[in-house]
Amino acid sequence: MRSLYISLFSEYYKSRKTLAFWAAILLPVIICTLVSFGFYSNADKILPLKFSGMMLWARYSSATLNVMGFLIMPFYVIFMAFSVNNIEHKNDTWKTLFAQPLNKFSIYAAKYLFAVLLIFICLALFGALTLGFGYILQSLVPKYTFNQYNPVTFLFNSYAKLFFSSLGILSLQLILSLIWADFLKPMGIGFVGTIMGIVTASLNWKFAYLIPYSLPTLALQLTKVKKGGDPLAFEVFSREIYTSLIFATAFFIIGYFIVSKKSIK
Amino acid sequence: MSAFAIETVGLNFNFGSQTIVKDLSLQVPKGSIYGFLGPNGAGKTTTIKILLNLLQSPADQVFIFGKEINRNRIATLKRIGALVEQPAIYGHLTGKENLINRCILLGINKNKSTEMLALVGLTDAASKKAAQYSLGMKQRLGIALALVSDPELLLLDEPTNGLDPNGIIEVRNLMVELATKHQKTILVSSHLLAEIERTATHVGIINKGQLLFQGTINELHQLSKPMLEIEINDVEKASDLLINCGYQVAENDGKKLSIPYKNDKENAEINTLLVQNGFMISALYKQRKDLENLFLDITKNN
């Protein structure tokens, strides 16, 4: 356990000055700021639509959620998986990492956990900033109805779904970037996978849930507000999430076997 | 309790169908500086990677401090510090941060990083990004990283690569100090034979994955047969005279003659013979074959 903790802390220490680390913070700050600015500057066009508090929150948060879930999230996860391994590939440091008195599981699990943590921080910030900026918008544009509805559960459930649905992609991409040191192969496969995932999910292909890359899109489809329905009436642990967690566990175990047999030539 | 810090027993290692290390039986005594010599591609780095368990060795062929490496990987690595090939450092971190990161991984006090930077003369460059370091500075940082855990056994793969003459002397002195004052065992690979000759107490010579020689530095020198070198005015005629008188002229390079050395009395007889026959001798001395030539002889025959 101590071995895992120090490996994880080392991952933070050596990554804290990299783009991958700061992307977890900058991405939500930039996107939430832009969306909020859009709602602020277009208040005169939105107010006449007379949204209820619930619908206004749904409209406002889905602007971020959709951009994030459909496009940015899969690529962000792919980039994160690439970054945690690339730091070793680029500096040729696998040999020193594996020459330390640490078990290989800790080294591998720390990389995985660090990527999971960054995704978690990123999505938690998205949720928190969406909420925070919503209330700031309310104070800047008092005619908005953000104060009529408490969106905490809705936001929590939505981002929790997005988080769990991305873990399958993360585990798979971590293996790809572990095997290949170059940028193109893991990113290329991830890119093709993501496009395929979006297309199959959007077409509602019945086996789309078996493709890890389609899971974030599928997870968000379920959170769309139906007419007359309550946006909170969706379960977090749906079939897509279970599939993602099964993929994540299976690929994580496969990845460990690859690491344990990895020879440093 | 094994007397050897490193012992390999008939170690074999292949990359696919290519044999890299063949029946290698290294014996590195505790407290020694073991010079691991060989030309490029001889299998030195592969052997060092096997000793670090970076490459999986067959069971019961590699023992570090008497313990089989595959079954005791973590306990063994706790006792080893290593510099393998080019120093592996994080370019986006400063020299000090690289050392702190290693301290984190090893669970040791971060203040050790300052001490190590001073030891390798990088205190002034502590806050500079390692990517901006010269090759020599990277090499020094690599040595500092290897030393930070205060290991009992140091594996240094060509540690003076890229260092200037002062740096080479410093590393050489550091190795001697670590072995003599701190009882460290050091395995240092190199193709700079003169350097190994100056520091090593023991030598192993490897070529094409096979160990050609292993022993103390004195045993290696004894393999080298001394020669009597004669610098003389008319080399050809002097050579004919000596051959006619029953001496064996091993080498005639046009400027001097080399004759296998037997004893001082025979040296005097040869000197007298040449002088009496009107030759002018400018120098006559006993010369031991240097390690470089000896190394070439050994590897050439393999």
Side-chain angles (χ1 to χ4, degrees):
Chain A
M1 201 60 194
R2 178 173 159 71
S3 185
L4 178 64
Y5 169 74
I6 58 177
S7 297
L8 188 61
F9 188 66
S10 167
E11 284 301 320
Y12 158 72
Y13 187 80
K14 66 193 177 196
S15 304
R16 73 197 198 289
K17 288 182 179 176
T18 62
L19 179 65
F21 179 81
W22 282 101
I25 294 159
L26 292 176
L27 203 63
V29 169
I30 292 169
I31 291 177
C32 289
T33 305
L34 284 174
V35 169
S36 301
F37 181 74
F39 267 72
Y40 175 72
S41 57
N42 290 314
D44 53 336
K45 291 174 192 163
I46 296 167
L47 284 171
L49 297 173
K50 296 191 185 302
F51 286 125
S52 66
M54 183 182 79
M55 285 308 291
L56 186 62
W57 272 110
R59 184 88 177 227
Y60 167 67
S61 58
S62 66
T64 314
L65 268 169
N66 285 341
V67 172
M68 192 58 198
F70 280 104
L71 272 178
I72 297 173
M73 190 65 200
F75 287 115
Y76 176 69
V77 171
I78 292 163
F79 175 65
M80 193 58 65
F82 168 77
S83 298
V84 292
N85 285 325
N86 184 55
I87 199 167
E88 312 301 343
H89 288 309
K90 188 174 72 181
N91 296 300
D92 193 19
T93 39
W94 283 116
K95 61 186 180 193
T96 42
L97 202 53
F98 285 134
Q100 301 312 310
L102 300 165
N103 63 55
K104 291 182 178 178
F105 178 79
S106 296
I107 294 169
Y108 170 67
K111 287 201 169 290
Y112 184 83
L113 275 179
F114 186 65
V116 169
L117 269 176
L118 284 185
I119 293 168
F120 178 81
I121 290 168
C122 179
L123 292 178
L125 267 177
F126 261 112
L129 290 175
T130 302
L131 188 70
F133 279 132
Y135 286 118
I136 291 172
L137 275 172
Q138 179 64 50
S139 63
L140 292 173
V141 185
K143 285 182 181 171
Y144 270 149
T145 53
F146 285 110
N147 55 353
Q148 291 174 8
Y149 183 79
N150 183 354
V152 172
T153 313
F154 166 68
L155 287 174
F156 180 84
N157 286 356
S158 301
Y159 282 105
K161 279 191 87 114
L162 204 51
F163 172 68
F164 289 124
S165 67
S166 66
L167 296 182
I169 304 177
L170 178 69
S171 297
L172 176 58
Q173 285 295 137
L174 207 70
I175 291 179
L176 298 179
S177 59
L178 195 67
I179 297 170
W180 290 304
D182 65 328
F183 179 79
L184 282 177
K185 289 193 194 84
M187 294 300 276
I189 292 171
F191 184 79
V192 171
T194 303
I195 301 296
M196 199 168 76
I198 292 171
V199 171
T200 52
S202 303
L203 292 174
N204 289 321
W205 185 45
K206 62 178 178 176
F207 296 117
Y209 72 97
L210 294 175
I211 302 169
Y213 298 96
S214 67
L215 297 177
T217 310
L218 285 173
L220 281 188
Q221 277 179 351
L222 294 170
T223 65
K224 279 184 176 172
V225 182
K226 288 168 191 164
K227 265 188 182 175
D230 184 349
L232 298 182
F234 65 84
E235 52 177 349
V236 174
F237 288 96
S238 57
R239 184 178 66 174
E240 286 71 26
I241 302 305
Y242 283 120
T243 315
S244 176
L245 292 176
I246 291 167
F247 274 132
T249 311
F251 288 130
F252 177 80
I253 293 167
I254 293 168
Y256 171 64
F257 280 105
I258 292 172
V259 165
S260 64
K261 299 290 170 198
K262 191 175 170 69
S263 278
I264 312 294
K265 290 182 184 173
Chain B
M1 197 72 175
S2 173
F4 299 113
I6 299 170
E7 187 175 17
T8 67
V9 184
L11 174 65
N12 290 294
F13 190 82
N14 304 319
F15 279 140
S17 59
Q18 192 188 358
T19 301
I20 308 294
V21 174
K22 193 176 172 186
D23 198 25
L24 185 75
S25 293
L26 282 182
Q27 291 187 326
V28 180
K30 285 180 187 167
S32 66
I33 300 180
Y34 187 99
F36 195 35
L37 292 171
N40 291 334
K44 301 188 296 290
T45 301
T46 301
T47 305
I48 289 176
K49 284 183 176 175
I50 291 170
L51 297 176
L52 287 167
N53 202 234
L54 292 173
L55 296 170
Q56 290 274 327
S57 57
D60 295 322
Q61 289 190 355
V62 178
F63 298 86
I64 308 287
F65 294 109
K67 289 183 176 170
E68 204 277 331
I69 192 161
N70 292 316
R71 288 194 297 272
N72 300 280
R73 179 180 165 270
I74 293 177
T76 302
L77 291 177
K78 276 184 182 168
R79 304 171 78 176
I80 304 180
L83 169 68
V84 187
E85 295 173 311
Q86 299 299 310
I89 46 187
Y90 297 102
H92 65 287
L93 300 181
T94 66
K96 186 167 185 176
E97 286 169 340
N98 267 284
L99 279 160
I100 290 175
N101 182 55
R102 183 62 60 85
C103 290
I104 292 168
L105 282 174
L106 294 166
I108 54 179
N109 194 320
K110 290 174 193 170
N111 292 334
K112 197 83 198 284
S113 60
T114 314
E115 192 187 314
M116 286 297 116
L117 285 165
L119 183 74
V120 296
L122 284 175
T123 304
D124 291 342
S127 305
K128 193 175 169 180
K129 280 193 175 179
Q132 293 164 3
Y133 278 16
S134 67
L135 180 59
M137 290 163 86
K138 285 180 181 170
Q139 205 73 9
R140 284 162 192 265
L141 183 58
I143 293 170
L145 287 165
L147 285 170
V148 75
S149 64
D150 195 21
E152 292 166 69
L153 172 63
L154 263 176
L155 306 179
L156 303 176
D157 190 11
E158 315 234 356
T160 53
N161 224 358
L163 294 183
D164 56 21
N166 277 339
I168 291 172
I169 293 167
E170 281 170 24
V171 170
R172 195 186 294 155
N173 292 341
L174 182 64
M175 283 196 292
V176 172
E177 190 182 318
L178 287 169
T180 53
K181 288 188 185 168
H182 304 279
Q183 288 76 48
K184 310 277 184 208
T185 306
I186 303 172
L187 180 138
V188 53
S189 81
S190 182
H191 56 263
L192 298 172
L193 309 178
E195 183 189 307
I196 292 296
E197 200 174 20
R198 285 191 178 101
T199 52
T201 56
H202 294 71
V203 178
I205 296 179
I206 186 175
N207 191 35
K208 295 177 186 168
Q210 283 184 293
L211 200 60
L212 306 180
F213 171 84
Q214 181 167 242
T216 64
I217 197 88
N218 288 335
E219 284 166 348
L220 183 66
H221 279 143
Q222 279 163 18
L223 280 181
S224 147
K225 299 219 168 55
M227 306 294 282
L228 180 68
E229 310 249 297
I230 307 164
E231 291 177 21
I232 197 164
N233 61 332
D234 193 338
V235 176
E236 296 304 328
K237 282 186 182 171
S239 174
D240 291 344
L241 173 70
L242 289 170
I243 290 167
N244 288 337
C245 293
Y247 294 103
Q248 182 199 343
V249 176
E251 199 181 328
N252 172 358
D253 67 0
K255 287 178 185 166
K256 66 176 190 291
L257 298 172
S258 299
I259 295 165
Y261 170 84
K262 282 184 186 163
N263 52 52
D264 290 347
K265 185 168 169 279
E266 191 184 84
N267 288 4
E269 285 169 4
I270 290 170
N271 189 21
T272 307
L273 177 70
L274 291 168
V275 171
Q276 283 176 347
N277 282 276
F279 290 101
M280 293 170 69
I281 300 169
S282 54
L284 186 146
Y285 49 88
K286 187 168 82 174
Q287 178 74 47
R288 193 180 287 276
K289 191 184 278 186
D290 67 14
L291 194 55
E292 186 120 18
N293 285 320
L294 182 67
F295 174 76
L296 287 174
D297 282 352
I298 294 172
T299 53
K300 204 161 55 187
N301 294 333
N302 183 235

